[in-house]
């Protein structure tokens, strides 16, 4: 099929070039005007295409002598395969085409047919198979598709405005043919379901910025193969080495930021013969500037390396209040000079090649962020602004507000309309938590936990229309198409505007047009406009897709 497409594309390009008067097209015509009669005569003298009996004779003489029922060379049998119904033996003929096009058959050292005759056979096979494929292409219908780890993280980001480290919550997905989003291998086990449930608890607590979140410690390591002699992008100018950390702080509270220096195999921090300054920043604002090194620290470092190192690192440690949301933590050393040193012309990029040398410069090894401590309720976190579209003023308004919040988030999470039964089920978890004495936020948190393990969120499911006859065709719905395109382009759920267009398009008559007249300013707008158009591929219940 691809060969036919390429030939057709080349012909179309040639027609367009000649139609617009392209110099490449006109040059070819002007260069050899007298050669046209010769070419026409040659075309007239071209022999007619070979017929099926000619191909049968060629196969019998050069191919079937080896590929017959008795020898079955290479497991291929051409004896008895029909040339009058080539599509019926498509699998066999595709093997023949590949081998002949590669020049591997007939093999070297055996009689070979005339090249023109062999070309005629392969061309006839290709043309016939391509026509059959175009007339009735058969594709597999969509299966139940679990969100892989990357899609899950992107969906959480777009659903709650939360940047979560999914690699710490979920295991890596299996791959098939080099892809980890292949539905055939995205299975689920009881242990994986436990991980999804654990992730749902943590994410729902962060989404509401719960002050009851248990303090935790996260470690961010500096890559050991990078040099710390020069400036690191994202850190303040005039610094060297270090790390930039973009961390999601789950709630308003106090956090402890603790930089740790690289130590040699005997716990010695090198480069302490001179004084150095280490800087810690939060969202670009300096929160720590600590000096270390010099004669006193160097001597203590040699006498009691572990104790001296711990005491120096306490100078870098900082406990400070941070609001919930995504913040940027930077740790770097103040750079003393950018002058070229009298060293090797091309020194090693890594200073850690020798694990026991005490000379060199101090380097950052890792940074830990611990918290929250003394957490308090926050109404300004990005996730709460995204989630809480209303705030109840009294207990009488709480149930109505909860329905509004949960129905809106379920619509985005389930990527389509939400039935009254599904909304009532979510409200049931909210009401159970309130009945146990929980607050409004805790009720919403409980409902979100159930939502994040619901199959409609974890799986992309496309159902055939009700009362569909076997083998009948139908157009893929606008909602399903919006989800397909969104996951294909961004590996995430559709946004609100795209989902609105898709739901509105499904409610219209099949032939109505919804092309927008406004300007298209970006890829998401282009996708919304494409989904709004009625022309979409059709799929039968048997999995056969037809062109509209």
């Amino acid at each position: 099929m691809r060969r036919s497409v390429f030939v057709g594309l080349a012909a179309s390009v040639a027609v367009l070039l000649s139609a617009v008067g392209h110099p490449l097209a006109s040059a070819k015509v002007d260069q050899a005007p007298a050669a046209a009669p010769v070419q026409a005569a040659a075309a007239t003298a071209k022999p007619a295409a070979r017929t099926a009996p000619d191909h049968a004779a060629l196969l019998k003489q050069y191919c079937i002598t080896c590929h017959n029922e008795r020898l079955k060379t290479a497991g291929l049998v051409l004896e008895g395969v029909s040339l009058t119904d080539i599509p019926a033996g498509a699998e066999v003929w595709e093997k023949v085409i590949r081998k002949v096009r590669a020049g591997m058959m007939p093999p070297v050292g055996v009689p070979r047919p005339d090249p023109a005759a062999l070309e005629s056979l392969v061309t006839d096979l290709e043309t016939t198979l391509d026509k059959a494929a175009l007339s009735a292409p058969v594709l597999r219908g969509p299966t139940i598709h679990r969100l892989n780890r990357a899609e899950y993280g992107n969906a959480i980001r777009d659903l709650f405005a939360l940047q979560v480290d999914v690699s710490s919550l979920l295991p890596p997905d299996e791959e098939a043919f080099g892809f980890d989003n292949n539905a055939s291998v995205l299975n689920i086990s009881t242990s994986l379901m436990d991980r999804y449930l654990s992730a749902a608890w943590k994410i729902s607590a962060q989404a509401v910025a719960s002050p009851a979140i248990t303090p935790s410690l996260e470690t961010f390591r500096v890559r050991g193969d990078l040099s710390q002699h020069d400036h690191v992008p994202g850190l303040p100018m005039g610094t060297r080495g270090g790390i930039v950390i973009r961390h999601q702080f789950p709630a308003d509270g106090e956090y402890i930021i603790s930089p740790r220096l690289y130590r040699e195999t005997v716990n010695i921090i090198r480069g302490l013969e001179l004084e150095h300054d280490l800087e810690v920043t939060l969202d670009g604002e300096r929160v720590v500037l600590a000096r270390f090194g010099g004669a006193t620290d160097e001597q203590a470092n040699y006498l009691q390396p572990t104790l001296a190192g711990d005491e120096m690192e306490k100078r870098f440690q900082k406990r400070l209040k941070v609001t919930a949301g995504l913040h940027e933590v930077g740790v770097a050393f103040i750079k003393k000079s950018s002058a070229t040193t009298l060293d090797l012309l091309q020194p090693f990029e890594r200073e850690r090649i020798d694990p026991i040398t005490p000379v060199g410069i101090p380097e950052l090894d890792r940074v830990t962020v611990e918290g929250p401590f003394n957490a308090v309720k926050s109404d300004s976190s990005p996730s709460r602004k995204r989630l809480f579209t209303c705030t109840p003023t009294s207990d009488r308004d709480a149930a109505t507000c909860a329905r509004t919040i949960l129905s809106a988030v379920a619509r985005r999470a389930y990527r389509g309309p939400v039935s009254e039964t599904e909304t009532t089920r979510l409200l049931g978890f909210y009401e159970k938590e309130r009945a146990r004495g929980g607050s409004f936020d805790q009720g919403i948190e409980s409902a979100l936990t159930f939502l994040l393990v619901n199959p409609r969120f974890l799986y992309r499911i496309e159902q055939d229309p009700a009362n569909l006859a076997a083998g009948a065709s139908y157009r893929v719905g606008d909602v399903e198409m919006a989800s397909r395109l969104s996951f294909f382009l961004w590996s995430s759920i559709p946004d609100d505007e795209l989902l609105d267009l898709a739901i509105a398009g499904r409610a219209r008559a099949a032939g109505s047009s919804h092309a927008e007249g406004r300007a298209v300013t970006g890829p998401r707008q282009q996708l919304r406009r494409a989904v709004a158009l009625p022309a979409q591929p059709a799929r039968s219940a048997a999995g056969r897709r037809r062109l509209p």
Side-chain angles (χ1 to χ4, degrees), residues 158-159 386-387 408-415 493-494 496 499:
D158 294 340
L159 193 60
R386 172 73 167 159
L387 179 63
V409 71
R411 181 177 178 270
R412 295 195 301 268
Y414 298 163
R415 303 172 288 279
I493 59 177
D496 291 334
L499 198 56

Side-chain angles (χ1 to χ4, degrees), residues 36 58 88 141 166 183 251 255 258 287 290 368 406 424 445 464 480 522:
L58 185 149
V166 289
Y255 294 84
S258 304
V287 294
T368 61
L406 295 176
T424 303
E445 179 183 342
D464 295 332
E480 290 79 7

Side-chain angles (χ1 to χ4, degrees), residues 141-153:
T143 59
I144 296 178
H145 189 138
R146 176 176 63 82
L147 303 188
N148 65 11
R149 189 167 69 173
E151 292 170 339
Y152 182 89

Side-chain angles (χ1 to χ4, degrees), residues 58-59 61-63 105-106 110-119 121:
L58 185 149
L59 290 171
Q61 181 179 355
Y62 296 99
C63 303
M105 288 295 158
V110 301
R112 299 178 66 88
D114 179 64
L118 197 60
E119 176 67 23
L121 169 64

Side-chain angles (χ1 to χ4, degrees), residues 145-156 164 166 168-174 180 185-204 448-455 457-460:
H145 189 138
R146 176 176 63 82
L147 303 188
N148 65 11
R149 189 167 69 173
E151 292 170 339
Y152 182 89
N154 293 340
I156 295 299
V164 297
V166 289
S168 65
L169 300 175
L170 300 174
D173 298 296
E174 295 184 17
D180 64 355
V185 296
L186 289 174
N187 304 314
I188 195 164
S189 62
T190 53
S191 59
L192 180 57
M193 196 64 232
D194 287 341
R195 296 291 293 272
Y196 273 121
L197 184 58
S198 176
W201 284 331
K202 294 179 180 179
I203 293 171
S204 59
L448 291 180
T449 303
F450 170 77
L451 179 143
L452 293 177
V453 294
N454 191 295
F457 173 70
L458 293 180
Y459 286 91
R460 293 162 54 192

Side-chain angles (χ1 to χ4, degrees), residues 487-527:
F487 276 99
F488 174 71
L489 293 175
W490 303 297
S491 297
S492 185
I493 59 177
D495 63 5
D496 291 334
E497 188 175 353
L498 176 58
L499 198 56
D500 290 340
L501 288 172
I503 294 175
R506 192 175 68 172
R508 290 183 176 85
S512 64
S513 176
H514 184 58
E516 295 183 81
R518 59 185 173 84
V520 178
T521 59
R524 284 192 181 266
Q525 286 82 358
Q526 293 174 3
L527 177 58

